[in-house]
Amino acid sequence: MYKTLLLATALGLTAASAQAQVDTVRASTLPPAQLAEKLYNSGVAKYNQKSYRAAILDFDKALAAKPDFAKAYYNRATTRYELKDYQPAVQDYDQAIKLDPATFGPYFGRAQAKEALGQSAEAEQDYGKAAELKTDYAPSWYYRGALRFEKGDYQAAKTDFDQAIKADPAYAYAWHDRASAQRQLNNLPAAIQDYTKALSLQPELLPALLNRAATKRRAGDLKGALQDYSDYLSKKQDNALAYTNRGSTRFEQGDYKGAVEDFSKAVALKADYAFAWNNRAAAYLKLEDYAKAEADASKAIGLNAQYAEAYLNRGHAREMLRHPDQACQDWRKAAELGLEVGTTYAANSGCGAE
């Protein structure tokens, strides 16, 4: 547009005069629409260079020249989002939508900004509008599905992930999150298949490996779960939860020494991990190492004084260490915290009333 205008005004001039005319044109002499476009393009270039503050200045000037420039509002909003200026970004997206309500991008961008502001319901609505306007844009479906998953609406989340996958069959995160929705809906074989697909598309998507392991364990495939946990831990050794879950799987298989090893790695990584301390206590009970079981259960209780299962395990250890009164106290405490089996153990062991 800029070159066409200059060419038109130079008609009838000599070549030298035409060249001189080009050299002396100033940006301020451009018509407002062209000036706005030039400043807008400069802002986009600076955005792509991650010079966000400079890009904002150019978009400001573009809008001063052309106040109804929807794309400038949209791109200034996107730039503000990158700067984490979420509320001003929302305001710019509002203007872009007002000027151009039929374009999906501003709705999607506003949804992202509102989600960052913690306005989940409003974000969900905007993702829906973006998906309505452009049904083949997978992220709109995916992010709305994620919000629905977070609020526990797993069937609606699955439906959105279905649509995301339909729009983009190579969208590994959509396969992963649909698997998680399937898991919550107790569709375990389907969940395992979806986690497997996610891993085939993105082998380094390690959460899929960890979640597939947990799903296999829940489905009773302890061997498959153990393999997945081991594959995960061969690539990432700093996850206490992964060691704890593999330890629990080994415990369920009857490999109590292996379980102790994994729980030990978990507490080495996360010393305040009460769950791992209590699980190791349970493994030591199976190995008949009652002193260590008592110590680990006590550690768990020290970290969480309301941990009913830890009192139960310490009661077992103390019974075997010939400390019946202390065992009775622990079982009663477990029952007081809601673990009724504590009352049963106390009664069966002849614990008298306090």
Side-chain angles (χ1 to χ4, degrees):
M1 184 184 295
Y2 176 57
K3 289 185 177 179
T4 301
L5 179 63
L6 290 178
L7 180 60
T9 58
L11 288 178
L13 299 177
T14 66
S17 298
Q19 184 61 49
Q21 178 70 20
V22 173
D23 288 344
T24 58
V25 168
R26 295 178 180 274
S28 60
T29 67
L30 289 172
Q34 283 185 266
L35 175 59
E37 191 74 31
K38 178 172 180 165
L39 289 164
Y40 167 80
N41 289 336
S42 176
V44 170
K46 288 172 181 174
Y47 174 90
N48 290 333
Q49 295 166 0
K50 301 187 185 301
S51 299
Y52 299 128
R53 296 294 180 191
I56 291 284
L57 293 175
D58 281 343
F59 294 134
D60 288 345
K61 293 173 184 175
L63 287 164
K66 186 181 179 184
D68 62 347
F69 198 173
K71 290 193 300 181
Y73 278 114
Y74 171 72
N75 281 277
R76 189 172 70 176
T78 302
T79 309
R80 284 175 162 168
Y81 179 87
E82 292 295 334
L83 291 167
K84 296 183 170 54
D85 294 336
Y86 300 124
Q87 191 56 53
V90 167
Q91 292 168 355
D92 276 348
Y93 285 127
D94 289 344
Q95 288 299 316
I97 290 167
K98 182 179 179 180
L99 291 164
D100 185 9
T103 300
F104 86 97
Y107 287 101
F108 181 83
R110 190 171 70 177
Q112 297 249 285
K114 286 185 173 180
E115 186 174 353
L117 289 167
Q119 299 171 8
S120 298
E122 295 89 341
E124 182 180 337
Q125 185 175 1
D126 276 347
Y127 285 132
K129 184 63 177 180
E132 175 188 323
L133 290 169
K134 188 170 175 59
T135 59
D136 62 348
Y137 187 62
S140 297
W141 297 107
Y142 171 77
Y143 282 105
R144 189 176 72 171
L147 286 176
R148 289 175 164 180
F149 183 94
E150 288 173 5
K151 70 179 184 179
D153 192 352
Y154 303 119
Q155 186 59 56
K158 178 190 172 297
T159 299
D160 278 348
F161 296 138
D162 288 343
Q163 291 297 319
I165 290 166
K166 180 180 178 181
D168 181 4
Y171 200 163
Y173 283 93
W175 286 99
H176 174 275
D177 286 15
R178 189 175 75 172
S180 295
Q182 299 271 30
R183 181 178 166 192
Q184 291 294 336
L185 293 167
N186 208 35
N187 300 328
L188 302 185
I192 291 168
Q193 288 179 355
D194 279 353
Y195 286 131
T196 301
K197 180 65 175 181
L199 286 163
S200 73
L201 291 166
Q202 193 169 328
E204 295 308 310
L205 187 59
L206 295 185
L209 194 57
L210 199 60
N211 287 328
R212 188 176 69 178
T215 309
K216 286 180 177 179
R217 180 182 166 203
R218 184 171 158 188
D221 180 9
L222 298 182
K223 182 178 179 181
L226 187 60
Q227 184 61 59
D228 278 352
Y229 283 129
S230 296
D231 288 346
Y232 176 91
L233 288 166
S234 71
K235 299 174 182 178
K236 188 171 176 61
Q237 294 84 39
D238 62 350
N239 190 329
L241 175 63
Y243 280 112
T244 299
N245 286 343
R246 188 174 71 174
S248 295
T249 305
R250 285 176 163 169
F251 185 96
E252 290 167 16
Q253 285 185 316
D255 179 9
Y256 304 121
K257 288 184 179 180
V260 165
E261 290 176 4
D262 278 342
F263 296 139
S264 297
K265 289 175 181 175
V267 298
L269 287 167
K270 186 174 171 57
D272 62 349
Y273 197 178
F275 186 77
W277 286 105
N278 182 59
N279 280 7
R280 193 171 72 170
Y284 278 135
L285 282 172
K286 291 291 187 179
L287 293 170
E288 300 182 2
D289 193 336
Y290 303 118
K292 288 183 179 178
E294 181 189 26
D296 277 359
S298 294
K299 179 68 176 180
I301 291 166
L303 291 166
N304 180 4
Q306 305 302 307
Y307 199 165
E309 289 81 0
Y311 285 104
L312 192 71
N313 283 332
R314 191 171 69 175
H316 293 325
R318 285 177 166 176
E319 180 187 37
M320 299 309 295
L321 291 168
R322 304 295 187 266
H323 303 310
D325 292 341
Q326 291 179 326
C328 289
Q329 289 174 3
D330 280 341
W331 287 329
R332 290 193 189 101
K333 183 65 175 179
E336 177 188 320
L337 291 170
L339 207 58
E340 277 302 314
V341 70
T343 301
T344 302
Y345 283 118
N348 290 343
S349 296
C351 296
E354 289 185 334

